[in-house]
């Protein structure tokens, strides 16, 4: 259940979490060809992000393939790090 405005009144309606968080609208804005729409989508996303749990944030980052290069193994091509130089060598 989530709240939705219908004819100016707040009503509770059954639905999916994505609908309640207005994810389809945010995604459409982020994928828009118009810069103004993309900026609005980014602002909506920034507003939503702090409200998500740590686990949900992690899942989102994995789903969109974001990563922290510092946490990657040396063998991972995405790490793009130089080898650690031993000062005693």
């Amino acid at each position: 259940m989530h709240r939705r405005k219908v004819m100016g009144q707040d009503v509770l309606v059954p639905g999916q979490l994505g609908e309640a968080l207005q994810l389809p609208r945010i995604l459409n804005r982020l994928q828009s060809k118009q810069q103004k729409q993309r900026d609005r989508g980014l602002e909506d996303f920034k507003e939503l992000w702090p409200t998500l749990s740590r686990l949900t944030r992690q899942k989102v980052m994995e789903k969109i393939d974001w990563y922290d290069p510092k946490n990657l193994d040396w063998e991972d091509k995405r790490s793009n790090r130089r080898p650690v130089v031993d000062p005693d060598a």
Side-chain angles (χ1 to χ4, degrees):
M1 302 289 285
H2 64 277
R3 294 181 196 274
R4 175 175 276 171
K5 283 217 185 251
V6 177
M7 298 180 71
Q9 299 287 328
D10 278 339
V11 294
L12 287 176
V13 294
Q16 298 293 323
L17 180 60
E19 285 180 38
L21 298 175
Q22 300 179 351
L23 292 179
R25 184 184 73 174
I26 293 173
L27 290 173
N28 285 337
R29 285 182 173 175
L30 288 171
Q31 295 170 347
S32 174
K33 292 181 181 182
Q34 298 175 3
Q35 183 64 43
K36 188 175 181 179
Q37 288 293 326
R38 289 195 308 268
D39 291 343
R40 283 185 188 164
L42 184 57
E43 288 304 315
D44 291 343
F45 182 75
K46 286 179 179 178
E47 212 172 283
L48 174 64
W49 188 253
T51 67
L52 303 176
S53 69
R54 184 186 311 165
L55 180 61
T56 302
R57 287 182 194 180
Q58 184 179 359
K59 287 180 181 179
V60 168
M61 290 179 72
E62 289 172 6
K63 187 75 172 174
I64 62 177
D65 201 25
W66 281 3
Y67 55 89
D68 182 1
K70 294 177 183 175
N71 293 336
L72 297 175
D73 293 330
W74 174 255
E75 301 300 321
D76 194 319
K77 293 179 183 178
R78 300 173 299 169
S79 66
N80 196 22
R81 291 184 285 175
R82 294 186 177 145
V84 177
V85 178
D86 185 6
D88 296 331

